Amino acid sequence: MPGFRSVVRCHRCGNLVTTVILVNTACAKCGASLHCCAQCESFDPGARYECMQPITSRVTPKDAFTTCQHFEARSTVERETGSVKQTTARSAFDDLFRN
């Protein structure tokens, strides 16, 4: 039975972030700033100033570096889908019709 894990992914390219996000941390794959509003747990496009924290002014752009004191990296829960056996699309298709 597959398990679940909590992960942090880049807001721009979806790359798995395995390091601690500090003020100057950038994505290893695309170079996007990870200490930004778009990567924050409090980011909410429907909230005032697009933030759930009590901020006094809008921060723009949302994908640029910020020094906000409320920053906390957004994590998501994903299903662990790793399998022991490597299969190709063709072999998976053939397995459907085996007796």
Side-chain angles (χ1 to χ4, degrees), residues 5 17 22 25 29 43 48-49 69 78 82 88 90 96:
R5 64 182 179 161
V17 177
L22 302 174
T25 306
K29 186 174 181 181
F43 178 68
R48 182 174 187 230
Y49 300 133
Q69 301 299 322
E78 294 182 350
T88 63
R90 180 64 186 183
L96 291 173

Side-chain angles (χ1 to χ4, degrees), residues 3 5 8-9 13 25-27 34 36 46-47 54 57-58 60 62-63 69 78 81-84 87-88 96-98:
R5 64 182 179 161
V8 176
R9 293 196 174 270
C13 69
T25 306
C27 176
L34 294 178
C36 64
S57 63
R58 181 179 305 275
T60 57
K62 296 296 183 184
D63 62 347
Q69 301 299 322
E78 294 182 350
T81 59
S83 63
V84 177
T87 61
T88 63
L96 291 173
F97 300 101
R98 286 206 180 137

